Amino acid sequence: DVFCDCTNTGYTGDFCENPETIPLVCTPGMVDLGLDAEPSAEELCALDENDLGAYLSYDSFTRSSGNNIGNAEVGGFAWNESNPEDTQYIRLTGDALYMHYFAGDDGSQPNQWVSLSQLKVADPVIDFRMRTHSENYDTLMGVSYRLPKQDGARKSSGYHLYLENGALTLYAGRVVLDTVSINDDHDWHNYRVVTMGDAHCVYMDDALLIATRNNIYPRSGYVGFTSFYSIGWIDDVGVAEHPQGTSDPAAPFDVFEHFERSDAQALGVSATGQDFWLSSASGETDLSNDMLLMNGASSSSPGLLSMGLQSYRAAAMEISFRAQTLVENFSSNSFLGLSYRTSTPLSAVEAAGYHLWLGEGVLELRAGQTVIATSTEGIERVPHDFQVMVVGHSHKVFRDGILVLDVVDDTYSASGALGFFMQDGAAYVDDFGVRTLDPDPVYPVMASEFPGVSRFPVLFYSVSHERIPEVVAQGATLVHRYSHLENQEREKFIEEAALSKVRALGTIGSYHVTDNPPPISVESEVKTVIERMSAAPNMGWWNYPEELKSWYTNTELLEMQNLFNWTREHDPQQSPTFMYNPNHRTAAGLAEIVPYMDVIGKGAYVSYADQPRAWVRHQIESTIEGIELAGHQVGPDYLAGERVPMLIAGVWHLHPASAQEIYHDVYSGIASGAKAIALYSHLHALKEEASDGLDGFVKAAGEIGLGESRLGPAILYGSPYQDISFEIIEGPLNTVDFTPYGYTQPMSYACLNWRAWDYEGARTIIAVNSCEEEIALRFSGFDDEKEIHLPFEGRRLCSENGQLEEGFEALGVHIYQIEL
């Protein structure tokens, strides 16, 4: 009997029409629907026109027709474009901005774009009108934008709303977030894009067509328009700030330099990061008009003037700066450049490194003096924003948010260096920033150094490179790929994961589980792999060959012992070790190998093992028993001997499970003491027969690891709370009998399993029904003055005399939160 108090609302019935407008009258047993549900994208984007302030930038393009777009009427922001003005591919015509595709002489069809790249806006509201030409030119046209700092990143591929072939599609980089079919009648239509935090909403002629939440690509803002093999017009472009905006468009970098000091003053120490600027004596660097002026030597001399940071080191870097030529002293022989080297343990201090050369109409990336990639998006008399992302062997260069170079090269890995040079000319540099691309640490971590800061481990097994952004958006904090390949392929997987800022398992040791017995690894070979992969900023856990057994003398147990010792000896990061253990391994069997791994992964493939769902509880409890039998405790400080039990849920197309079953398995494992979860396997789960199970895992992963309501911190760092009891008042009392591996007699559990934690002013309770029938129960031990929230069900409850009655569906899960 679900109802809410509709007193004085003018509405009668079981449900209130607008519960968010009604104060909660908390009486025993009452439920208030919808108050605590995670806000939808539409709710976050909603704004009152009366609250929307004046446009930061507005342009009606009512200027004389021609190739010079100039500046926006409001705000004065310059329009930068992808082609020289004399090409006429972008121009003003008929009081609108005209965009025309361009077919290159070589048959290429590059996209055209214009952008207000100097406009930095948080949580923007973007209004514009757009009209496409005809079906013959209807490939792609629309708006691109990037958002401010949300997860520590400043630059990224951004978001793109494109009208393409009769569909309106919103992308995050290349990931499709949502798409809707529309009738493109090639007439003018009004569009509005509203962003608020991670919410994105798209309106066409005042109708909401797309509403989604996503924060894959946050960064300092820009707004621009793009066409690809398309012809059309843009008009009445206005950009405003969302009145309830919360993002910060000017988040600091590790080292950020705006050069806003007195003219001609010595550079000294950077504004942020406190790193010292060093310059050579072969030219001049000067501060002028709040920018860095670099004046290079003549072409008759070696021609390089260098200056850079004294001590910045990183294994992977994100570098950004704004640059423009000094018109009177920049010729076809002039180049402004950026030099960088990433730091790895194997590299030579004096390696030549990489150099980004920026000239008029040319951009080159060189490894030493060898040109490895080129583009025509160089430096010009107007300022452009440049960004370089270096992760492993991957080098990506962006100009004004547009990817202009994407190359993989491993010529140089060297101790870090970062700075600029100038050849035969002069140019300005502004807003220089750099940060280390290091994702948040993942539990477990060295507790003495990182108390309470790591993310809950959510591991997706067997993820292909094109699916990595997808699983990250679903909550993955670790990704895995099977590797029967050469070591460089294992390294490549880590680099692919780094592009999505997610940690990856680093596979070491001789493979494969089917080798009987497997060969013993050679220390010198493993040492080289450990040293190389440990340099990656997103290296996660060391992954042993699967199912190594303790009963093969001098083979698999020795392999396990060696790998454990070698990671401790040769990995400067001291990352934790991990191994998958099969369903049938008992507590006693685990106890023999627990000393040689830090994360104890235990398979719980219920359908494959032909067990009832209650067996999941046994799998984790026996894992913890094995940890304790080995003389260790559960916890994150693995260097001090603590160990982490991990539940590995089985989603397999040959043995399918429903979404509810897998959702139950995840929370049953956590209620039983698991401190990490994994999905075996993403590859299998993508098959149609297993897709329901994937949905259940993804739902749980999101609740544990994503959003403000995420449960992970409480599970990892909360103080256990035990003063709650329950009584089953309807339905079975116990689960069906089952016989675990190694047992001769059947066993069962009470239907309900629960665990509670107090963390940062709130109590979280996870309650799981492992019976495959409905039950009703009565909780005791609640405070009558406290509302009980169910954050993922959108309701709140109140207890009576410290008691609460609740119903659970078969394999049902309820998650309660109480403010303390």
Side-chain angles (χ1 to χ4, degrees), residues 441-444 454-460 475-478 541 599 644-647 670 674-678 697 701 704-705 712 716-717:
V442 176
Y443 187 96
S454 55
R455 302 176 65 194
F456 191 94
V458 179
L459 169 63
F460 280 67
T477 54
L478 291 158
W541 301 344
V599 181
V644 178
M646 167 183 266
L647 168 86
I670 290 173
K675 297 289 188 180
I677 62 172
F697 186 86
I704 293 168
L716 296 179
Y717 301 110

PDB file of all heavy atoms in Angstrom, residues 441-444 454-460 475-478 541 599 644-647 670 674-678 697 701 704-705 712 716-717:
ATOM      1  N   PRO A 441      43.471   6.903  -7.938  1.00  0.00           N
ATOM      2  CA  PRO A 441      43.903   5.565  -7.540  1.00  0.00           C
ATOM      3  C   PRO A 441      42.708   4.667  -7.253  1.00  0.00           C
ATOM      4  O   PRO A 441      41.632   5.129  -6.893  1.00  0.00           O
ATOM      5  CB  PRO A 441      44.730   5.815  -6.269  1.00  0.00           C
ATOM      6  CG  PRO A 441      44.256   7.144  -5.763  1.00  0.00           C
ATOM      7  CD  PRO A 441      43.861   7.931  -6.961  1.00  0.00           C
ATOM      8  N   VAL A 442      42.907   3.386  -7.449  1.00  0.00           N
ATOM      9  CA  VAL A 442      41.862   2.394  -7.233  1.00  0.00           C
ATOM     10  C   VAL A 442      42.247   1.540  -6.027  1.00  0.00           C
ATOM     11  O   VAL A 442      43.387   1.107  -5.902  1.00  0.00           O
ATOM     12  CB  VAL A 442      41.675   1.510  -8.486  1.00  0.00           C
ATOM     13  CG1 VAL A 442      40.651   0.410  -8.230  1.00  0.00           C
ATOM     14  CG2 VAL A 442      41.245   2.360  -9.668  1.00  0.00           C
ATOM     15  N   TYR A 443      41.315   1.310  -5.142  1.00  0.00           N
ATOM     16  CA  TYR A 443      41.488   0.449  -3.974  1.00  0.00           C
ATOM     17  C   TYR A 443      42.006  -0.914  -4.427  1.00  0.00           C
ATOM     18  O   TYR A 443      41.535  -1.433  -5.438  1.00  0.00           O
ATOM     19  CB  TYR A 443      40.115   0.321  -3.323  1.00  0.00           C
ATOM     20  CG  TYR A 443      40.046  -0.386  -1.995  1.00  0.00           C
ATOM     21  CD1 TYR A 443      40.067   0.335  -0.812  1.00  0.00           C
ATOM     22  CD2 TYR A 443      39.898  -1.766  -1.929  1.00  0.00           C
ATOM     23  CE1 TYR A 443      39.947  -0.304   0.409  1.00  0.00           C
ATOM     24  CE2 TYR A 443      39.790  -2.416  -0.714  1.00  0.00           C
ATOM     25  CZ  TYR A 443      39.812  -1.684   0.450  1.00  0.00           C
ATOM     26  OH  TYR A 443      39.690  -2.309   1.664  1.00  0.00           O
ATOM     27  N   PRO A 444      42.983  -1.519  -3.720  1.00  0.00           N
ATOM     28  CA  PRO A 444      43.607  -1.026  -2.505  1.00  0.00           C
ATOM     29  C   PRO A 444      44.805  -0.129  -2.793  1.00  0.00           C
ATOM     30  O   PRO A 444      45.419  -0.238  -3.856  1.00  0.00           O
ATOM     31  CB  PRO A 444      44.078  -2.322  -1.841  1.00  0.00           C
ATOM     32  CG  PRO A 444      44.434  -3.215  -2.992  1.00  0.00           C
ATOM     33  CD  PRO A 444      43.430  -2.889  -4.066  1.00  0.00           C
ATOM     34  N   SER A 454      40.850   6.237  -2.512  1.00  0.00           N
ATOM     35  CA  SER A 454      40.805   5.423  -3.726  1.00  0.00           C
ATOM     36  C   SER A 454      39.377   5.045  -4.092  1.00  0.00           C
ATOM     37  O   SER A 454      38.475   5.039  -3.261  1.00  0.00           O
ATOM     38  CB  SER A 454      41.660   4.163  -3.549  1.00  0.00           C
ATOM     39  OG  SER A 454      41.257   3.446  -2.409  1.00  0.00           O
ATOM     40  N   ARG A 455      39.186   4.733  -5.367  1.00  0.00           N
ATOM     41  CA  ARG A 455      37.872   4.396  -5.900  1.00  0.00           C
ATOM     42  C   ARG A 455      37.593   2.909  -5.752  1.00  0.00           C
ATOM     43  O   ARG A 455      38.499   2.083  -5.705  1.00  0.00           O
ATOM     44  CB  ARG A 455      37.791   4.803  -7.364  1.00  0.00           C
ATOM     45  CG  ARG A 455      38.038   6.276  -7.598  1.00  0.00           C
ATOM     46  CD  ARG A 455      38.046   6.615  -9.065  1.00  0.00           C
ATOM     47  NE  ARG A 455      36.722   6.395  -9.664  1.00  0.00           N
ATOM     48  CZ  ARG A 455      36.501   6.357 -10.979  1.00  0.00           C
ATOM     49  NH1 ARG A 455      37.506   6.505 -11.813  1.00  0.00           N
ATOM     50  NH2 ARG A 455      35.288   6.161 -11.435  1.00  0.00           N
ATOM     51  N   PHE A 456      36.313   2.574  -5.702  1.00  0.00           N
ATOM     52  CA  PHE A 456      35.907   1.180  -5.553  1.00  0.00           C
ATOM     53  C   PHE A 456      36.302   0.404  -6.809  1.00  0.00           C
ATOM     54  O   PHE A 456      36.041   0.842  -7.928  1.00  0.00           O
ATOM     55  CB  PHE A 456      34.396   1.097  -5.353  1.00  0.00           C
ATOM     56  CG  PHE A 456      33.916  -0.258  -4.925  1.00  0.00           C
ATOM     57  CD1 PHE A 456      33.743  -0.542  -3.584  1.00  0.00           C
ATOM     58  CD2 PHE A 456      33.654  -1.251  -5.852  1.00  0.00           C
ATOM     59  CE1 PHE A 456      33.307  -1.795  -3.172  1.00  0.00           C
ATOM     60  CE2 PHE A 456      33.221  -2.506  -5.456  1.00  0.00           C
ATOM     61  CZ  PHE A 456      33.042  -2.778  -4.112  1.00  0.00           C
ATOM     62  N   PRO A 457      36.923  -0.772  -6.652  1.00  0.00           N
ATOM     63  CA  PRO A 457      37.354  -1.532  -7.834  1.00  0.00           C
ATOM     64  C   PRO A 457      36.161  -2.175  -8.543  1.00  0.00           C
ATOM     65  O   PRO A 457      35.460  -3.016  -7.981  1.00  0.00           O
ATOM     66  CB  PRO A 457      38.279  -2.612  -7.247  1.00  0.00           C
ATOM     67  CG  PRO A 457      38.565  -2.177  -5.847  1.00  0.00           C
ATOM     68  CD  PRO A 457      37.378  -1.388  -5.407  1.00  0.00           C
ATOM     69  N   VAL A 458      35.937  -1.757  -9.786  1.00  0.00           N
ATOM     70  CA  VAL A 458      34.927  -2.361 -10.655  1.00  0.00           C
ATOM     71  C   VAL A 458      35.671  -2.799 -11.909  1.00  0.00           C
ATOM     72  O   VAL A 458      36.032  -1.980 -12.757  1.00  0.00           O
ATOM     73  CB  VAL A 458      33.797  -1.376 -10.998  1.00  0.00           C
ATOM     74  CG1 VAL A 458      32.785  -2.040 -11.932  1.00  0.00           C
ATOM     75  CG2 VAL A 458      33.113  -0.868  -9.729  1.00  0.00           C
ATOM     76  N   LEU A 459      35.909  -4.099 -12.032  1.00  0.00           N
ATOM     77  CA  LEU A 459      36.735  -4.647 -13.101  1.00  0.00           C
ATOM     78  C   LEU A 459      35.853  -5.270 -14.175  1.00  0.00           C
ATOM     79  O   LEU A 459      34.998  -6.107 -13.881  1.00  0.00           O
ATOM     80  CB  LEU A 459      37.695  -5.704 -12.534  1.00  0.00           C
ATOM     81  CG  LEU A 459      38.456  -6.574 -13.534  1.00  0.00           C
ATOM     82  CD1 LEU A 459      39.379  -5.742 -14.409  1.00  0.00           C
ATOM     83  CD2 LEU A 459      39.240  -7.667 -12.804  1.00  0.00           C
ATOM     84  N   PHE A 460      36.064  -4.851 -15.427  1.00  0.00           N
ATOM     85  CA  PHE A 460      35.421  -5.479 -16.568  1.00  0.00           C
ATOM     86  C   PHE A 460      36.466  -6.354 -17.272  1.00  0.00           C
ATOM     87  O   PHE A 460      37.473  -5.843 -17.761  1.00  0.00           O
ATOM     88  CB  PHE A 460      34.886  -4.436 -17.549  1.00  0.00           C
ATOM     89  CG  PHE A 460      33.562  -3.813 -17.150  1.00  0.00           C
ATOM     90  CD1 PHE A 460      33.470  -3.011 -16.036  1.00  0.00           C
ATOM     91  CD2 PHE A 460      32.425  -4.033 -17.916  1.00  0.00           C
ATOM     92  CE1 PHE A 460      32.268  -2.425 -15.677  1.00  0.00           C
ATOM     93  CE2 PHE A 460      31.211  -3.457 -17.565  1.00  0.00           C
ATOM     94  CZ  PHE A 460      31.130  -2.652 -16.447  1.00  0.00           C
ATOM     95  N   GLY A 475      30.930   2.738 -15.269  1.00  0.00           N
ATOM     96  CA  GLY A 475      31.444   2.606 -13.911  1.00  0.00           C
ATOM     97  C   GLY A 475      32.734   1.838 -13.761  1.00  0.00           C
ATOM     98  O   GLY A 475      33.228   1.671 -12.638  1.00  0.00           O
ATOM     99  N   ALA A 476      33.323   1.363 -14.857  1.00  0.00           N
ATOM    100  CA  ALA A 476      34.572   0.602 -14.748  1.00  0.00           C
ATOM    101  C   ALA A 476      35.685   1.470 -14.184  1.00  0.00           C
ATOM    102  O   ALA A 476      35.900   2.592 -14.630  1.00  0.00           O
ATOM    103  CB  ALA A 476      34.984   0.054 -16.108  1.00  0.00           C
ATOM    104  N   THR A 477      36.410   0.945 -13.218  1.00  0.00           N
ATOM    105  CA  THR A 477      37.630   1.591 -12.741  1.00  0.00           C
ATOM    106  C   THR A 477      38.869   0.786 -13.109  1.00  0.00           C
ATOM    107  O   THR A 477      39.988   1.257 -12.942  1.00  0.00           O
ATOM    108  CB  THR A 477      37.591   1.789 -11.214  1.00  0.00           C
ATOM    109  OG1 THR A 477      37.319   0.532 -10.572  1.00  0.00           O
ATOM    110  CG2 THR A 477      36.498   2.773 -10.835  1.00  0.00           C
ATOM    111  N   LEU A 478      38.654  -0.442 -13.616  1.00  0.00           N
ATOM    112  CA  LEU A 478      39.735  -1.296 -14.089  1.00  0.00           C
ATOM    113  C   LEU A 478      39.244  -2.053 -15.319  1.00  0.00           C
ATOM    114  O   LEU A 478      38.074  -2.464 -15.370  1.00  0.00           O
ATOM    115  CB  LEU A 478      40.143  -2.315 -13.017  1.00  0.00           C
ATOM    116  CG  LEU A 478      40.852  -1.793 -11.768  1.00  0.00           C
ATOM    117  CD1 LEU A 478      40.687  -2.793 -10.633  1.00  0.00           C
ATOM    118  CD2 LEU A 478      42.323  -1.542 -12.032  1.00  0.00           C
ATOM    119  N   TRP A 541      46.614  -3.138 -11.555  1.00  0.00           N
ATOM    120  CA  TRP A 541      47.091  -4.269 -10.771  1.00  0.00           C
ATOM    121  C   TRP A 541      47.893  -5.196 -11.669  1.00  0.00           C
ATOM    122  O   TRP A 541      47.643  -5.291 -12.870  1.00  0.00           O
ATOM    123  CB  TRP A 541      45.913  -5.084 -10.203  1.00  0.00           C
ATOM    124  CG  TRP A 541      44.974  -4.338  -9.316  1.00  0.00           C
ATOM    125  CD1 TRP A 541      45.181  -3.128  -8.711  1.00  0.00           C
ATOM    126  CD2 TRP A 541      43.662  -4.761  -8.937  1.00  0.00           C
ATOM    127  NE1 TRP A 541      44.082  -2.768  -7.984  1.00  0.00           N
ATOM    128  CE2 TRP A 541      43.127  -3.753  -8.094  1.00  0.00           C
ATOM    129  CE3 TRP A 541      42.881  -5.883  -9.210  1.00  0.00           C
ATOM    130  CZ2 TRP A 541      41.857  -3.837  -7.534  1.00  0.00           C
ATOM    131  CZ3 TRP A 541      41.621  -5.977  -8.651  1.00  0.00           C
ATOM    132  CH2 TRP A 541      41.120  -4.973  -7.825  1.00  0.00           C
ATOM    133  N   VAL A 599      45.021  -9.050  -4.120  1.00  0.00           N
ATOM    134  CA  VAL A 599      43.583  -9.052  -4.378  1.00  0.00           C
ATOM    135  C   VAL A 599      43.188 -10.484  -4.708  1.00  0.00           C
ATOM    136  O   VAL A 599      43.709 -11.074  -5.664  1.00  0.00           O
ATOM    137  CB  VAL A 599      43.209  -8.113  -5.540  1.00  0.00           C
ATOM    138  CG1 VAL A 599      41.697  -8.117  -5.773  1.00  0.00           C
ATOM    139  CG2 VAL A 599      43.692  -6.696  -5.249  1.00  0.00           C
ATOM    140  N   VAL A 644      42.392  -8.203  -0.135  1.00  0.00           N
ATOM    141  CA  VAL A 644      41.109  -7.699  -0.628  1.00  0.00           C
ATOM    142  C   VAL A 644      40.330  -8.841  -1.274  1.00  0.00           C
ATOM    143  O   VAL A 644      40.782  -9.407  -2.280  1.00  0.00           O
ATOM    144  CB  VAL A 644      41.323  -6.577  -1.652  1.00  0.00           C
ATOM    145  CG1 VAL A 644      39.982  -6.102  -2.203  1.00  0.00           C
ATOM    146  CG2 VAL A 644      42.084  -5.420  -1.022  1.00  0.00           C
ATOM    147  N   PRO A 645      39.142  -9.197  -0.746  1.00  0.00           N
ATOM    148  CA  PRO A 645      38.305 -10.207  -1.402  1.00  0.00           C
ATOM    149  C   PRO A 645      37.482  -9.580  -2.523  1.00  0.00           C
ATOM    150  O   PRO A 645      36.865  -8.539  -2.358  1.00  0.00           O
ATOM    151  CB  PRO A 645      37.397 -10.697  -0.268  1.00  0.00           C
ATOM    152  CG  PRO A 645      37.317  -9.535   0.682  1.00  0.00           C
ATOM    153  CD  PRO A 645      38.601  -8.770   0.552  1.00  0.00           C
ATOM    154  N   MET A 646      37.489 -10.212  -3.694  1.00  0.00           N
ATOM    155  CA  MET A 646      36.766  -9.710  -4.864  1.00  0.00           C
ATOM    156  C   MET A 646      35.748 -10.743  -5.348  1.00  0.00           C
ATOM    157  O   MET A 646      36.083 -11.914  -5.535  1.00  0.00           O
ATOM    158  CB  MET A 646      37.736  -9.382  -5.997  1.00  0.00           C
ATOM    159  CG  MET A 646      37.044  -9.161  -7.347  1.00  0.00           C
ATOM    160  SD  MET A 646      38.170  -8.859  -8.719  1.00  0.00           S
ATOM    161  CE  MET A 646      38.191  -7.066  -8.708  1.00  0.00           C
ATOM    162  N   LEU A 647      34.520 -10.290  -5.572  1.00  0.00           N
ATOM    163  CA  LEU A 647      33.497 -11.114  -6.202  1.00  0.00           C
ATOM    164  C   LEU A 647      33.618 -10.993  -7.720  1.00  0.00           C
ATOM    165  O   LEU A 647      33.660  -9.885  -8.257  1.00  0.00           O
ATOM    166  CB  LEU A 647      32.104 -10.657  -5.787  1.00  0.00           C
ATOM    167  CG  LEU A 647      30.990 -11.283  -6.627  1.00  0.00           C
ATOM    168  CD1 LEU A 647      30.596 -12.624  -6.060  1.00  0.00           C
ATOM    169  CD2 LEU A 647      29.799 -10.370  -6.757  1.00  0.00           C
ATOM    170  N   ILE A 670      28.800  -8.158  -1.810  1.00  0.00           N
ATOM    171  CA  ILE A 670      29.196  -7.021  -0.973  1.00  0.00           C
ATOM    172  C   ILE A 670      28.646  -7.172   0.447  1.00  0.00           C
ATOM    173  O   ILE A 670      29.339  -6.896   1.438  1.00  0.00           O
ATOM    174  CB  ILE A 670      28.733  -5.717  -1.630  1.00  0.00           C
ATOM    175  CG1 ILE A 670      29.563  -5.459  -2.889  1.00  0.00           C
ATOM    176  CG2 ILE A 670      28.862  -4.532  -0.669  1.00  0.00           C
ATOM    177  CD1 ILE A 670      29.109  -4.296  -3.712  1.00  0.00           C
ATOM    178  N   ALA A 674      32.703  -8.615   0.321  1.00  0.00           N
ATOM    179  CA  ALA A 674      33.571  -8.300  -0.813  1.00  0.00           C
ATOM    180  C   ALA A 674      33.896  -6.810  -0.836  1.00  0.00           C
ATOM    181  O   ALA A 674      33.040  -5.968  -0.557  1.00  0.00           O
ATOM    182  CB  ALA A 674      32.896  -8.699  -2.119  1.00  0.00           C
ATOM    183  N   LYS A 675      35.135  -6.488  -1.197  1.00  0.00           N
ATOM    184  CA  LYS A 675      35.585  -5.100  -1.309  1.00  0.00           C
ATOM    185  C   LYS A 675      35.940  -4.744  -2.752  1.00  0.00           C
ATOM    186  O   LYS A 675      36.578  -3.718  -3.009  1.00  0.00           O
ATOM    187  CB  LYS A 675      36.813  -4.872  -0.424  1.00  0.00           C
ATOM    188  CG  LYS A 675      36.559  -5.057   1.066  1.00  0.00           C
ATOM    189  CD  LYS A 675      35.713  -3.931   1.638  1.00  0.00           C
ATOM    190  CE  LYS A 675      35.632  -4.016   3.150  1.00  0.00           C
ATOM    191  NZ  LYS A 675      34.806  -2.929   3.725  1.00  0.00           N
ATOM    192  N   ALA A 676      35.521  -5.575  -3.686  1.00  0.00           N
ATOM    193  CA  ALA A 676      35.765  -5.331  -5.108  1.00  0.00           C
ATOM    194  C   ALA A 676      34.820  -6.238  -5.885  1.00  0.00           C
ATOM    195  O   ALA A 676      34.414  -7.298  -5.387  1.00  0.00           O
ATOM    196  CB  ALA A 676      37.226  -5.622  -5.473  1.00  0.00           C
ATOM    197  N   ILE A 677      34.477  -5.816  -7.110  1.00  0.00           N
ATOM    198  CA  ILE A 677      33.613  -6.635  -7.954  1.00  0.00           C
ATOM    199  C   ILE A 677      34.192  -6.693  -9.361  1.00  0.00           C
ATOM    200  O   ILE A 677      34.921  -5.800  -9.791  1.00  0.00           O
ATOM    201  CB  ILE A 677      32.170  -6.101  -8.007  1.00  0.00           C
ATOM    202  CG1 ILE A 677      32.120  -4.685  -8.608  1.00  0.00           C
ATOM    203  CG2 ILE A 677      31.521  -6.152  -6.637  1.00  0.00           C
ATOM    204  CD1 ILE A 677      30.715  -4.168  -8.862  1.00  0.00           C
ATOM    205  N   ALA A 678      33.849  -7.764 -10.078  1.00  0.00           N
ATOM    206  CA  ALA A 678      34.309  -7.918 -11.456  1.00  0.00           C
ATOM    207  C   ALA A 678      33.224  -8.607 -12.264  1.00  0.00           C
ATOM    208  O   ALA A 678      32.380  -9.331 -11.725  1.00  0.00           O
ATOM    209  CB  ALA A 678      35.606  -8.728 -11.510  1.00  0.00           C
ATOM    210  N   PHE A 697      24.632  -6.114 -14.007  1.00  0.00           N
ATOM    211  CA  PHE A 697      25.946  -5.729 -13.481  1.00  0.00           C
ATOM    212  C   PHE A 697      26.172  -4.234 -13.647  1.00  0.00           C
ATOM    213  O   PHE A 697      26.671  -3.568 -12.726  1.00  0.00           O
ATOM    214  CB  PHE A 697      27.049  -6.509 -14.191  1.00  0.00           C
ATOM    215  CG  PHE A 697      28.415  -6.276 -13.611  1.00  0.00           C
ATOM    216  CD1 PHE A 697      28.867  -7.015 -12.538  1.00  0.00           C
ATOM    217  CD2 PHE A 697      29.254  -5.288 -14.131  1.00  0.00           C
ATOM    218  CE1 PHE A 697      30.123  -6.791 -11.984  1.00  0.00           C
ATOM    219  CE2 PHE A 697      30.510  -5.054 -13.591  1.00  0.00           C
ATOM    220  CZ  PHE A 697      30.940  -5.811 -12.511  1.00  0.00           C
ATOM    221  N   ALA A 701      27.057  -1.551 -10.837  1.00  0.00           N
ATOM    222  CA  ALA A 701      28.327  -0.835 -10.943  1.00  0.00           C
ATOM    223  C   ALA A 701      28.110   0.669 -10.887  1.00  0.00           C
ATOM    224  O   ALA A 701      28.887   1.401 -10.253  1.00  0.00           O
ATOM    225  CB  ALA A 701      29.040  -1.219 -12.242  1.00  0.00           C
ATOM    226  N   ILE A 704      27.317   1.797  -7.329  1.00  0.00           N
ATOM    227  CA  ILE A 704      28.473   1.700  -6.439  1.00  0.00           C
ATOM    228  C   ILE A 704      29.520   2.759  -6.764  1.00  0.00           C
ATOM    229  O   ILE A 704      30.110   3.352  -5.865  1.00  0.00           O
ATOM    230  CB  ILE A 704      29.094   0.292  -6.535  1.00  0.00           C
ATOM    231  CG1 ILE A 704      28.125  -0.742  -5.954  1.00  0.00           C
ATOM    232  CG2 ILE A 704      30.444   0.228  -5.826  1.00  0.00           C
ATOM    233  CD1 ILE A 704      28.493  -2.170  -6.258  1.00  0.00           C
ATOM    234  N   GLY A 705      29.715   3.048  -8.053  1.00  0.00           N
ATOM    235  CA  GLY A 705      30.860   3.867  -8.415  1.00  0.00           C
ATOM    236  C   GLY A 705      30.606   5.195  -9.057  1.00  0.00           C
ATOM    237  O   GLY A 705      31.545   5.981  -9.232  1.00  0.00           O
ATOM    238  N   GLY A 712      30.339   3.270  -3.086  1.00  0.00           N
ATOM    239  CA  GLY A 712      31.694   2.758  -2.917  1.00  0.00           C
ATOM    240  C   GLY A 712      32.441   3.279  -1.718  1.00  0.00           C
ATOM    241  O   GLY A 712      33.013   2.486  -0.946  1.00  0.00           O
ATOM    242  N   LEU A 716      33.937   0.865   1.328  1.00  0.00           N
ATOM    243  CA  LEU A 716      35.379   0.719   1.532  1.00  0.00           C
ATOM    244  C   LEU A 716      35.853   1.293   2.855  1.00  0.00           C
ATOM    245  O   LEU A 716      36.720   0.715   3.520  1.00  0.00           O
ATOM    246  CB  LEU A 716      36.139   1.388   0.383  1.00  0.00           C
ATOM    247  CG  LEU A 716      35.939   0.805  -1.013  1.00  0.00           C
ATOM    248  CD1 LEU A 716      36.749   1.593  -2.021  1.00  0.00           C
ATOM    249  CD2 LEU A 716      36.316  -0.668  -1.053  1.00  0.00           C
ATOM    250  N   TYR A 717      35.302   2.442   3.247  1.00  0.00           N
ATOM    251  CA  TYR A 717      35.885   3.193   4.358  1.00  0.00           C
ATOM    252  C   TYR A 717      34.932   3.446   5.515  1.00  0.00           C
ATOM    253  O   TYR A 717      35.309   4.075   6.496  1.00  0.00           O
ATOM    254  CB  TYR A 717      36.427   4.528   3.838  1.00  0.00           C
ATOM    255  CG  TYR A 717      37.474   4.351   2.772  1.00  0.00           C
ATOM    256  CD1 TYR A 717      37.213   4.691   1.444  1.00  0.00           C
ATOM    257  CD2 TYR A 717      38.712   3.793   3.070  1.00  0.00           C
ATOM    258  CE1 TYR A 717      38.165   4.505   0.459  1.00  0.00           C
ATOM    259  CE2 TYR A 717      39.668   3.601   2.096  1.00  0.00           C
ATOM    260  CZ  TYR A 717      39.391   3.958   0.789  1.00  0.00           C
ATOM    261  OH  TYR A 717      40.340   3.759  -0.191  1.00  0.00           O
TER     262      TYR A 717
END
